Each structure stands twice: as C-alpha cells, then as structure tokens.
Amino acid sequence: MVDALVIGAGPAGLMAAEELARAGRRVLVCEAKASVGRKFLMAGKSGLNVTKDEGAAAFAGRYDSDWLGPMLAEFGPAEVMAWCRGLGQEVFTGSSGRVFPAAMKASPLLRAWLARLGAAGVEVRTRWRWAGFAGAGLRFKMPEGERVLTPAVTVLALGGASWARLGSDAAWVPWLVERGVEVAAWKPANMGFAVDWSAQMARVFGQPVKGAALYVAGRRERGEFVVSARGLEGGGIYAVSRELREGAGLVLDLMPDVGAAEVAARLGRMRAGETAANRLRKLGLAPVAVALVMEFAKGAPLTVVKALPVRLAGPRPLDEAISVAGGVTRGAVTEGLELRAVPGVFVCGEMLDWEAPTGGYLLTGCWATGRWAGRAAAG
C-alpha cells in the first residue's frame, strides 16, 4: 500500500510532498503531464516572481480569503526567501518590492528542489493521470494501462481551471462533487478584458501604455498594460481585474503626474485649428495613448486625458486567465485542509477557493497551502 500519495507536481503538490517526506512518510507524487512544474516554469519565463517583500499584515491583506491567514503567517515572504536560499538559489528584491531569484528563471530552482526531494526518497511518476475514485482507492491511467492505488493519505494539488494545456483543466471537479464536496463556480482572475476595437486601433496593437493611473471602484492603481487585438491585458489591468469582472467601470488618467489645471493650461496655449491628435501628441502622449483617446472619447474636450472612460466587453475566457477564483470551498475542508466528505484526502493550491493578485502572491499562496496540507496529512 502507498503510504502518502500526492497528485499534481506543481508548486503546491511538491511542497506537500516535501513536508510529508520530512515527517518520515514514503511519498509518491503522480503527475499527468510528461514533466513536472509546467505552469511554474511558464510563469518564470519572464522572470520568476516568488513573493512580495512586505509586512505580514499587508501581504495577507492582498488575498480575498482570510482563512489563508494562518498558512501565510507560517510561510510568508520571509520564509519563501529563506526557503529559496536553502535550495542554493539567492534572491533579490526589486524596486517594486517583488522578489526574484538571482537567476531570474524557474528552472534552476525547480532542478535544485527536485534533487532535494529525490534525496529525501520522494518518488515522482509522470504520465500518471488521475481518473477518479474506485471505491476506497484512486484510479490512474498511464501509458501501460490502469492502476488503482489505496494510499494511507492523499494530497490533491491539481490546480484550478486555467491553462489547461499545462495541466490545470479542472477535470477533478465532478469526482469531488459526487463525493459531496462543495466546489464554488470558477471565475477568471488576473485576466485581460475584451474590447470591440474599431479598425483604426490595429496600428497600435502590441504597444504598451506606460505610467497610467487606473481608477476602478473608488481606488487608484498605477500600472502598465498592453493594447492587443483581443483587448487590454497586462499587470495594470490584472491589478483591478477582480473589480472589473464584478462590473465596475474603468477610467484612465493618461497623465497622472500632471494636474488637470496644468493640462488645461497647456492645451490653451496651443494654436487653434490643430487636429486633436496633434494636440494630444504635443501634450506628450505616446501614439498608443493618443489612439485610446480617439477611440473612446473622440470629439470630447481633450482634458479627458485625465479621466478617460474605457468601454470593456467583458473578461477574456477562463482558460486564458493567469489564475482563477472558485474551487473547493472553505466549508468543505477542515482547518488542516482535509476534505470533510472524504477523510484522508487533503487539498491545496489553486484547487481551493481563494483569489490573489499577481506579484508573488499566487506562488506564495500555493506554497503556503501545500505546506499546510502536507503537514496536516503527515499527522
């Protein structure tokens, strides 16, 4: 009989496996894909942001679910940085407070982690896809056929419902629901938003809007975003995506470092008869920002650059989202993240119903919940 089984070899699952092994359990990790940590490696392609270097209260406050508080208190930014260094991966804090490995990539960290897990006796099997329950066991499909495992304890770390090609396809939902587990409906998080562009916008597709201020639901965020053929996407949009998803409007200040009176004064000094586009360029707006004004407020006073209303056509599809809201609800698990309806089975990572912004919060949340579930399962 398998002693401790972990299904899913992403950050949450591998962290659960590490805790189980540390407690002396014989651990088997099963991964449906041909290799481990696929979404983790993809997230690190542009620089792996492991956490955010800020106070514990401020950090925890960026999550929409206060029930993660104890888990983040035990494995928050300071602990993440120490853990990375323990794997021989030095980290540094950028000007925004975001923390990155010195190598910037995910692959060196993952290689060092897998080596440590292997030395601890953790066995990893790829191309083992969980196919649901089989009585008291768990059924797997692999290239050579099917097999049922009956572990003493199981940790599920199967991801959410975005980036299905990397393994997070939410195929597990009906199997847990059949066992009486409550799973909240999925919603995209940290995603772009569709815009029904006119033909004139095609010339600026792919261009970033830098330094804008975004006003949504009474709050202000500074950030960069990109105008794409599909709409608006990028960090600035992701920061306010939850409020936009729930129906709040978006207003842009394209000159946040210049007061409204100064903008009006500059416009007043320009020659009469100049085209609106030319006057906007003289204000210092980049071509992509000029295009946005002409798209959303053509014919309006040009002082609209301080409060440009943006017409969105809804969030991009779920599978395009960086992360998701929804999943196994708080009421469905014990304090140790054990499923109340399926004793001996624990859940962690993006399977759980929590939401957080990008900027290291997602990865830290997965590690913290994986660690918590692994420790509880080991007990």
Side-chain angles (χ1 to χ4, degrees):
M1 184 175 73
V2 176
D3 185 20
L5 174 66
V6 176
I7 307 179
L14 293 178
M15 187 62 84
E18 184 162 59
E19 292 301 322
L20 285 159
R22 183 176 286 119
R25 295 278 191 170
R26 290 180 297 105
V27 185
L28 173 64
V29 178
C30 295
E31 167 58 45
K33 294 295 185 179
S35 57
V36 306
R38 289 199 169 193
K39 190 173 180 181
F40 179 67
L41 291 170
M42 179 64 75
K45 277 199 167 183
S46 59
L48 182 67
N49 182 195
V50 294
T51 195
K52 181 77 174 290
D53 190 2
E54 61 185 355
F59 187 85
R62 296 289 276 175
Y63 295 77
D64 74 327
S65 304
D66 59 1
W67 58 300
L68 270 61
M71 306 172 210
L72 296 168
E74 288 200 3
F75 200 77
E79 291 76 19
V80 167
M81 289 186 277
W83 179 81
C84 290
R85 293 185 178 111
L87 286 168
Q89 304 299 307
E90 189 52 61
V91 295
F92 70 94
T93 302
S95 58
S96 66
R98 295 185 177 192
V99 179
F100 302 87
M104 289 300 289
K105 298 178 181 179
S107 51
L109 179 63
L110 182 59
R111 282 196 299 270
W113 194 8
L114 290 173
R116 187 164 77 183
L117 289 170
V122 175
E123 182 181 355
V124 178
R125 294 179 185 172
T126 56
R127 295 190 174 94
W128 277 49
R129 176 175 291 277
W130 185 40
F133 295 99
L138 298 106
R139 184 165 58 92
F140 287 86
K141 293 183 177 180
M142 65 278 290
E144 57 270 26
E146 293 191 8
R147 184 173 176 181
V148 174
L149 300 180
T150 54
V153 66
T154 300
V155 177
L156 301 179
L158 295 160
S162 66
W163 297 24
R165 64 188 177 87
L166 300 180
S168 298
D169 58 10
W172 51 269
V173 171
W175 304 325
L176 293 192
V177 170
E178 286 172 2
R179 291 292 179 109
V181 178
E182 182 183 19
V183 180
W186 299 112
K187 297 178 182 179
N190 295 295
M191 66 295 188
F193 283 78
V195 178
D196 296 325
W197 299 119
S198 67
Q200 66 99 15
M201 290 297 292
R203 59 189 173 84
V204 296
F205 287 165
Q207 294 186 22
V209 179
K210 299 182 178 181
L214 298 85
Y215 289 88
V216 178
R219 71 184 183 96
R220 179 181 186 268
E221 289 282 345
R222 286 290 292 265
E224 181 176 322
F225 58 91
V226 174
V227 173
S228 74
R230 299 179 297 183
L232 299 178
E233 51 194 274
I237 294 295
Y238 302 156
V240 294
S241 61
R242 182 182 178 192
E243 292 87 347
L244 294 176
R245 183 189 69 211
E246 302 303 323
L250 172 63
V251 174
L252 301 176
D253 182 350
L254 297 171
M255 298 182 66
D257 299 318
V258 180
E262 176 60 21
V263 169
R266 292 182 188 181
L267 289 168
R269 291 194 291 268
M270 295 180 188
R271 294 198 313 267
E274 288 186 287
T275 66
N278 195 43
R279 296 174 78 193
L280 290 168
R281 284 192 290 271
K282 286 187 175 181
L283 277 178
L285 266 63
V288 63
V290 173
L292 285 174
V293 175
M294 303 304 291
E295 179 77 2
F296 293 121
K298 187 174 183 179
L302 297 187
T303 50
V304 76
V305 298
K306 294 294 295 178
L308 178 67
V310 176
R311 296 185 299 275
L312 301 175
R316 295 294 304 164
L318 185 67
D319 195 47
E320 294 180 14
I322 291 176
S323 61
V324 291
V328 176
T329 64
R330 180 177 188 175
V333 295
T334 67
E335 288 188 5
L337 300 182
E338 184 177 15
L339 292 174
R340 297 183 188 277
V342 193
V345 176
F346 297 73
V347 290
C348 59
E350 286 196 87
M351 290 184 71
L352 298 170
D353 183 15
W354 58 274
E355 183 175 357
T358 57
Y361 301 98
L362 295 172
L363 191 46
T364 298
C366 286
W367 277 328
T369 58
R371 179 179 179 272
W372 191 271
R375 287 193 165 194

